[in-house]
Amino acid sequence: LMAAAVSDASAALQVALAHLFFNLSGIALWYPLPPMRRVPLRIARRLGRGARLWRGFPVLYLTVAFFAVPLVVLGVSACFEQDKLGYT
């Protein structure tokens, strides 16, 4: 937020505020209840266990989480744009 305040671009401030509110909503969702705090820790332990058992797991996870899933979502959303041929 401080770096965006130095810049004159409103887009920098918009991105900084989006990150701030994303982080605050994550804290509001996961922190208040003790059982909810265990969920991200349990997921992290499972990912660590998968990485320990198979060395290719982190590469597979990164590929699926940051390339395959976003491309599928982008492709599905492109089907619903105006003036495009698709299933709509």
Side-chain angles (χ1 to χ4, degrees):
L1 202 55
M2 289 171 44
V6 175
S7 174
D8 289 334
S10 64
L13 182 61
Q14 184 178 5
V15 169
L17 287 173
H19 280 94
L20 174 70
F21 288 121
F22 178 80
N23 289 334
L24 289 176
S25 64
I27 291 169
L29 175 70
W30 296 108
Y31 188 73
L33 302 173
M36 292 295 287
R37 293 180 207 168
R38 293 185 206 114
V39 174
L41 294 173
R42 198 172 300 132
I43 293 170
R45 285 188 189 106
R46 287 183 182 169
L47 288 172
R49 195 173 302 127
R52 185 185 68 209
L53 295 175
W54 181 47
R55 290 183 63 190
F57 180 77
V59 175
L60 177 69
Y61 172 76
L62 291 173
T63 303
V64 169
F66 295 105
F67 293 106
V69 171
L71 284 176
V72 168
V73 171
L74 185 66
V76 169
S77 68
C79 291
F80 293 102
E81 290 181 5
Q82 294 293 330
D83 301 328
K84 296 279 184 178
L85 295 176
Y87 294 105
T88 58

